Amino acid sequence: MMENICKLAYQKAVDAIDGTEQVYFSHGCWNPYELKPTEEVKKRIMNSGYGADVDRKDGMFYVCCPCSSDMW
């Protein structure tokens, strides 16, 4: 079961994934997750317009940065 860490957050999202090498990342809530380097994902979180949702399942982090169409 997914454990929610934060919703639409910037620094809290970055702090949550700090210390990991890779996380699953999705840009847009309807797109599939892809395994990405954590440093790349941190930059994408900080540059996003809405922050990110971070969830954890089986020790892996799942980061979703919503796109504009998700927010309508």
Side-chain angles (χ1 to χ4, degrees):
M1 186 160 129
M2 288 274 201
E3 170 194 1
N4 179 255
I5 306 298
C6 61
K7 295 266 188 211
L8 299 179
Y10 289 93
Q11 193 59 50
K12 188 173 181 179
V14 169
D15 292 345
I17 63 174
D18 196 37
T20 63
E21 290 185 26
Q22 293 184 312
V23 297
Y24 285 100
F25 177 79
S26 172
H27 181 254
C29 296
W30 299 105
N31 295 321
Y33 285 94
E34 298 178 23
L35 198 56
K36 299 279 187 183
T38 301
E39 291 304 313
E40 175 187 330
V41 173
K42 286 180 182 181
K43 290 175 188 171
R44 293 187 72 173
I45 292 169
M46 296 309 288
N47 289 329
S48 73
Y50 302 102
D53 297 343
V54 179
D55 297 296
R56 181 172 40 211
K57 181 180 179 183
D58 299 328
M60 286 299 296
F61 287 99
Y62 292 79
V63 178
C64 178
C65 284
C67 61
S68 293
S69 63
D70 293 330
M71 304 308 285
W72 287 86

